[in-house]
Amino acid sequence: MFRNVLLIVFVFICFKVNAQQNIAVFVDAGDNQALITAIENGNSGTGPGLIFIRPGQKGETTYTFTESYMNSDSALPPITGDIEIFPVSSLGTRIEFKRAIDADQFRFVDVNTTGVFGMGVFNIEGFSSNSNGGAIRAYGEAQLRLRGTNFRNNFASGEGGAIFMGEDSHLTMQGHGRSSSLGPGEFNQNRAGSLGGAISVQNNATALIKHQVFVDNIAGVFGCDININSSSNANFGHTLVLESNTFAANCPNVLIENPNGRMYIRNNTFSGMGNGIDSTDLVTMFGNLFALESSDNRSSGNNAICNDFGTNAFKSLGYNLSNEDSCNLDQETDITNTDPNVNTTDPNNVISLNSNSPAIDAGPVDFLENTEGFDTLPCSFKDARGLGRPQDANNDGIYECDIGSYEVQSGADLTNAQSALYFDPDRNGEGVIIEMLSADSALVTMFTYHPNETDLMWFISAVSYTHLRAHETDSYL
């Protein structure tokens, strides 16, 4: 009997170990064939779909592709299964994927039919396509999920210098808020021969884009950053949702071109040279900052931040700030014809507010009701660089959002944080609990009152304690 029990325990332990080994595969950076094999196995189901990239044996952090996969137009096998690729968590730098300078044209990857492709905290640079999608092309019912990924110097002779979303595909993008040294996701100097210098969304595709930075992308026709021409409005009633993004532009035409597809834009900052949005479909705006100088060399001759060509496409929900008045900002809380007084971009291409900016504490303070009838935070829970929001920049005891993607910090950075309960004796029923989990991470719990002043609300967030500032990663209510 005792021997049988030992045998059962041994079999259970072996099964558990084998199951853990089959959860993910680890691949060395720079080993192109190992990565290709891991994707092939994940597609076919003969291997795990979760792939972790670690530095190579000699510290390599770069994949350089000199030729396409099996004479296709992509460096990697087409994604037909459920594939996720992430760096190992302890890596303090970005793994890079590059096309060799003297290589033929090919994009990074195709995501096909019902394929699901997720990536996080990588650089994708220098890929090129003679059609659509310089780095990534998705079509069918493909799902593309990107977190904190940088796209730099990619080119498509057609649409979507970095990303092309076609047919019924869906794109979800979020910035990387856990470490300011890695920064948010970024689209920098991507180019398209026709539309969508960074991203093009076509057919019935949809996109949700949060906490990204768009810098100096160029389109040969229109839409230096984004082009939308999609008949689907399935994403909460919108084709495209933009939230807490930063657009630092040097565009000869318009940043966002939208002949077809409902847009919802919230808490974004637009600054630099170029028209903001051309649209003949509904654009709903809330809490955005516009500091743009309109382009002079547009063939259409419409030189304004917002152009609707007589369609009345722009609808304001309030708390927008613009240096002119073309966006139909007609709510009492909107501010027009006023200099937003923003700084130039920092090393992470984030646009901060000057100390006397009219955007500071000029945003909402109350919870909002979304299209599904649920309460949502007035300005997300973090700004473009990962700082929790809203803050109380003027120290009047009222936590109001700043307008745009940037939140001015109130108070000094955290130093030597310890597990503790922090509260103000004058604010009964409210406080913050910090439990340090390791040298660089903590569990933060905040409790306060619902705006109805009766119900309690609890927010629980895992944070990374980096560079003397806590950056929120995931929050639950």
Side-chain angles (χ1 to χ4, degrees):
M1 177 66 179
F2 181 69
R3 181 180 300 172
N4 290 339
V5 171
L6 286 177
L7 180 61
I8 292 172
V9 171
F10 176 76
V11 170
F12 173 78
I13 292 174
C14 291
F15 174 79
K16 186 173 182 180
V17 170
N18 288 334
Q20 289 176 338
Q21 290 175 342
N22 289 330
I23 292 175
V25 61
F26 289 81
V27 176
D28 290 342
D31 191 341
N32 295 12
Q33 187 55 53
L35 177 60
I36 289 171
T37 299
I39 293 174
E40 289 175 334
N41 292 340
N43 280 334
S44 65
T46 58
L50 179 58
I51 302 168
F52 284 107
I53 308 296
R54 60 194 176 194
Q57 295 181 359
K58 295 182 179 180
E60 298 93 338
T61 57
T62 301
Y63 287 92
T64 301
F65 295 90
T66 59
E67 59 184 7
S68 64
Y69 172 75
M70 297 181 66
N71 295 317
S72 68
D73 53 6
S74 298
L76 297 177
I79 305 299
T80 57
D82 191 340
I83 304 294
E84 294 181 297
I85 305 177
F86 295 99
V88 293
S89 59
S90 59
L91 194 61
T93 187
R94 287 178 177 267
I95 298 292
E96 296 184 333
F97 298 89
K98 294 182 176 181
R99 180 181 65 92
I101 296 176
D102 56 351
D104 292 335
Q105 280 190 312
F106 51 85
R107 68 177 59 86
F108 177 57
V109 70
D110 269 325
V111 189
N112 295 356
T113 56
T114 57
V116 178
F117 186 47
M119 292 189 73
V121 203
F122 294 111
N123 289 345
I124 300 176
E125 184 172 338
F127 289 91
S128 179
S129 169
N130 58 10
S131 59
N132 298 327
I136 299 178
R137 181 179 62 178
Y139 51 92
E141 297 180 358
Q143 300 284 318
L144 180 58
R145 302 167 182 170
L146 304 173
R147 185 177 181 90
T149 298
N150 293 338
F151 292 84
R152 296 171 177 166
N153 296 304
N154 300 288
F155 170 76
S157 61
E159 299 183 22
I163 297 175
F164 177 84
M165 306 297 297
E167 299 182 357
D168 297 301
S169 60
H170 177 68
L171 168 66
T172 301
M173 298 196 72
Q174 295 191 52
H176 183 71
R178 290 182 296 173
S179 170
S180 60
S181 64
L182 292 177
E186 179 182 287
F187 290 84
N188 196 323
Q189 298 184 13
N190 301 283
R191 296 174 296 121
S194 59
L195 303 168
I199 301 171
S200 185
V201 180
Q202 288 280 10
N203 307 126
N204 293 305
T206 54
L208 170 63
I209 302 173
K210 302 172 65 175
H211 299 102
Q212 306 296 305
V213 176
F214 294 81
V215 184
D216 295 343
N217 301 291
I218 295 294
V221 182
F222 293 128
C224 286
D225 291 320
I226 301 174
N227 172 69
I228 313 160
N229 192 2
S230 172
S231 59
S232 174
N233 294 311
N235 190 4
F236 298 108
H238 301 91
T239 297
L240 173 68
V241 175
L242 295 174
E243 181 178 325
S244 300
N245 302 288
T246 300
F247 296 83
N250 184 15
C251 176
N253 45 79
V254 62
L255 278 65
I256 301 175
E257 176 76 4
N258 179 28
N260 185 28
R262 293 180 181 176
M263 293 174 54
Y264 178 68
I265 63 173
R266 170 183 171 184
N267 302 120
N268 302 281
T269 292
F270 300 83
S271 181
M273 173 65 73
N275 292 1
I277 306 170
D278 282 2
S279 182
T280 52
D281 207 336
L282 178 65
V283 180
T284 304
M285 300 184 292
F286 178 83
N288 301 284
L289 185 153
F290 296 93
L292 287 169
E293 181 180 349
S294 297
S295 302
D296 295 327
N297 57 342
R298 289 173 44 82
S299 59
S300 68
N302 293 287
N303 298 322
I305 290 177
C306 296
N307 295 286
D308 65 9
F309 308 97
T311 62
N312 296 317
F314 294 96
K315 176 183 177 182
S316 173
L317 299 182
Y319 299 101
N320 299 286
L321 169 61
S322 176
N323 57 305
E324 48 105 283
D325 61 357
S326 65
C327 298
N328 193 31
L329 304 181
D330 56 1
Q331 299 299 302
E332 183 179 354
T333 55
D334 289 326
I335 304 172
T336 60
N337 294 312
T338 302
D339 183 0
N341 205 346
V342 299
N343 290 305
T344 56
T345 56
D346 69 10
N348 283 324
N349 291 310
V350 173
I351 299 171
S352 61
L353 302 174
N354 280 312
S355 59
N356 58 347
S357 170
I360 297 174
D361 278 3
V365 64
D366 295 324
F367 276 67
L368 307 173
E369 184 176 297
N370 65 15
T371 56
E372 295 187 324
F374 297 112
D375 284 345
T376 62
L377 296 172
C379 50
S380 185
F381 67 93
K382 63 181 180 180
D383 76 349
R385 66 204 193 279
L387 180 70
R389 66 187 311 188
Q391 303 260 328
D392 180 19
N394 60 6
N395 296 311
D396 64 355
I398 301 174
Y399 285 76
E400 297 167 300
C401 300
D402 297 340
I403 294 176
S405 63
Y406 185 91
E407 189 80 10
V408 173
Q409 181 176 334
S410 63
D413 289 340
L414 297 176
T415 57
N416 299 321
Q418 302 293 325
S419 297
L421 169 62
Y422 300 88
F423 65 96
D424 182 347
D426 295 330
R427 297 176 70 91
N428 186 38
E430 297 179 309
V432 176
I433 302 170
I434 297 179
E435 181 180 357
M436 301 302 294
L437 303 177
S438 65
D440 63 353
S441 64
L443 181 68
V444 176
T445 304
M446 182 180 74
F447 54 98
T448 185
Y449 283 102
H450 190 277
N452 64 22
E453 300 182 357
T454 300
D455 298 328
L456 276 175
M457 302 182 67
W458 290 76
F459 297 89
I460 302 173
S461 181
V463 304
S464 177
Y465 183 73
T466 308
H467 299 290
L468 304 182
R469 180 180 289 130
H471 291 265
E472 301 185 44
T473 56
D474 296 293
S475 184
Y476 304 92
L477 171 60

